[in-house]
Amino acid sequence: MSNIFFDIARLKYLGKNVILGKTVRIRKPEEVTIGDESIIDDFTYISCAMDLGNNSHIASNVSISGGALGKKFTMGSYSTISNGSSIHCASSDYRKCSLELPSMPPSEQAGGIAMDICVGDYVTIGAHSCVLPGVIIPEGVAFGAYTLIKPKKLLPYHLYVGVECRDLGVREDIDIIIKHKENKRGRL
């Protein structure tokens, strides 16, 4: 496996049977772990520390940012981020004036928001969704395309959609995931 943007040997951990697109860009590979059987598709950009679980998928054109301020993105096993989505461990605080641009020397930076993001197991993030700093997503949650995901209490196995991240209730057929978990436990 080769990559044109970084040396794969510098990854903190690379699991078995991982597929990494040749054009995946990981700015700090020494802070990134990728679990077994996971896939990161071409044109994905990662600029922060990241722990990716087993059998997870990050589709093409996903941006995971916020590394300049030392924050981390964690994603569990059997989870997916669909194409064109953006994950932001750091952001401007638009209600206040700030100067936290990564192009500025750290001594001149001020303001902004930086928080870890944690995505549980069996989570689906729909295409072109946006995840803001501090979000914690519990197991089994799904988000429709173009959902804006802000820090708020999210319920396991619920479906959320839209700019308001509206709760549409419990997802159907959650027994599929429960049976999968039981089968995996029996093989450990």
Side-chain angles (χ1 to χ4, degrees):
M1 181 176 358
S2 65
N3 186 284
I4 62 173
F5 290 118
F6 71 97
D7 180 1
I8 290 174
R10 289 184 52 216
L11 286 166
K12 185 175 180 179
Y13 175 78
L14 179 64
K16 297 175 196 149
N17 301 317
V18 168
I19 298 173
L20 280 178
K22 287 186 179 193
T23 60
V24 170
R25 171 86 192 268
I26 300 178
R27 184 171 276 184
K28 300 176 183 180
E30 63 280 354
E31 295 180 12
V32 171
T33 66
I34 302 171
D36 297 342
E37 310 285 340
S38 288
I39 299 171
I40 303 177
D41 288 335
D42 282 310
F43 309 108
T44 291
Y45 175 71
I46 301 165
S47 72
C48 63
M50 180 180 80
D51 287 336
L52 182 63
N54 298 325
N55 301 93
S56 286
H57 177 235
I58 299 174
S60 62
N61 296 302
V62 170
S63 174
I64 303 171
S65 64
L69 298 173
K71 296 307 173 187
K72 186 179 200 175
F73 172 66
T74 303
M75 184 163 129
S77 298
Y78 307 101
S79 291
T80 186
I81 303 172
S82 297
N83 64 307
S85 293
S86 58
I87 313 295
H88 304 276
C89 291
S91 176
S92 294
D93 181 351
Y94 296 99
R95 296 295 285 162
K96 302 175 185 176
C97 292
S98 60
L99 294 170
E100 80 290 344
L101 304 172
S103 57
M104 295 179 64
S107 61
E108 295 179 22
Q109 292 181 10
I113 300 167
M115 300 171 77
D116 294 337
I117 293 174
C118 185
V119 174
D121 297 337
Y122 302 98
V123 169
T124 299
I125 298 174
H128 303 283
S129 292
C130 178
V131 183
L132 298 180
V135 167
I136 299 171
I137 302 172
E139 182 174 288
V141 172
F143 300 93
Y146 294 96
T147 299
L148 177 60
I149 307 163
K150 301 183 248 186
K152 73 178 214 174
K153 181 164 178 54
L154 299 167
L155 300 172
Y157 298 99
H158 277 236
L159 171 62
Y160 296 89
V161 298
V163 174
E164 297 300 321
C165 199
R166 192 168 40 116
D167 185 351
L168 295 184
V170 177
R171 296 173 69 192
E172 297 177 12
D173 298 327
I174 62 173
D175 58 313
I176 292 170
I177 294 174
I178 293 166
K179 285 178 186 174
H180 184 263
K181 284 173 56 176
E182 289 170 357
N183 287 341
K184 293 309 270 183
R185 225 174 295 158
R187 288 189 252 156
L188 297 178

